[in-house]
Amino acid sequence: MSTTAAAVTKARENPYILALAANPTFVSGLVAWAVAQAAKVVLTSFVERRWDLRMLFSSGGMPSSHTALCTALTASVALCHGVSDSLFPVCLGFTLIVMYDATGVRRHAGMQAEVLNKIVEDLFQGHPISERKLKELLGHTPSQVFAGALLGIMVAWFCCQGCIVPI
């Protein structure tokens, strides 16, 4: 048996991986993140008329994958364990901080990077320093965060169909 086949067989038998795969909260967060990242690629291809697979692993853009992941975790905890569970306020607080950060600090850092790139381009035109650009797409607009939150809630609802508890 090859090394790869042995690793795959061992991974299939690993109780931790099986436990994570059976956990609707983990699955909903992972699926929400993956769907949000894939949606960025598709939406970017429509807007820019070209495929940019780098968007699969980039931050910023529509929808917010950080928000989708956090909202899916929070919604799945609420659906599977109820809002009275002690884990729910922890998830909710974490989600609200991530959403605030995406629309506030990270968005403004991206706006500052855009201004700095223009200044460096104007002042150091032709100099090697002007070729190095800061990343401008860091944060999210409120609509991108809202879309990520909606996506996360829908994914959690879909993933938690078998374990919904009365609230």
Side-chain angles (χ1 to χ4, degrees):
M1 182 182 313
S2 72
T3 307
T4 306
V8 169
T9 303
K10 186 174 181 173
R12 279 191 218 146
E13 297 170 3
N14 189 330
Y16 299 112
I17 292 175
L18 294 175
L20 285 175
N23 184 332
T25 301
F26 176 79
V27 171
S28 66
L30 185 65
V31 169
W33 175 83
V35 169
Q37 289 298 104
K40 287 180 187 183
V41 173
V42 172
L43 291 172
T44 301
S45 71
F46 282 128
V47 171
E48 296 182 8
R49 304 261 193 258
R50 65 179 176 85
W51 287 97
D52 187 5
L53 294 179
R54 290 176 298 176
M55 290 299 289
L56 276 174
F57 301 103
S58 70
S59 60
M62 172 69 100
S64 169
S65 57
H66 293 94
T67 301
L69 183 143
C70 293
T71 307
L73 293 174
T74 303
S76 65
V77 166
L79 291 169
C80 293
H81 303 281
V83 294
S84 62
D85 188 86
S86 61
L87 189 56
F88 177 75
V90 173
C91 290
L92 182 61
F94 177 69
T95 298
L96 293 174
I97 289 169
V98 166
M99 293 168 75
Y100 174 78
D101 181 62
T103 57
V105 177
R106 285 180 41 228
R107 182 173 178 216
H108 286 92
M111 293 164 67
Q112 289 175 356
E114 188 176 347
V115 171
L116 286 171
N117 283 337
K118 288 178 184 174
I119 291 171
V120 168
E121 186 178 316
D122 290 345
L123 290 177
F124 297 101
Q125 195 170 20
H127 193 274
I129 197 171
S130 67
E131 296 171 11
R132 190 166 173 228
K133 301 277 186 200
L134 296 172
K135 184 174 173 148
E136 296 175 5
L137 189 60
L138 292 174
H140 296 282
T141 63
S143 61
Q144 292 169 340
V145 170
F146 179 76
L150 199 60
L151 174 65
I153 291 168
M154 290 188 307
V155 168
W157 182 81
F158 179 77
C159 289
C160 295
Q161 284 298 304
C163 69
I164 296 177
V165 296
I167 295 175

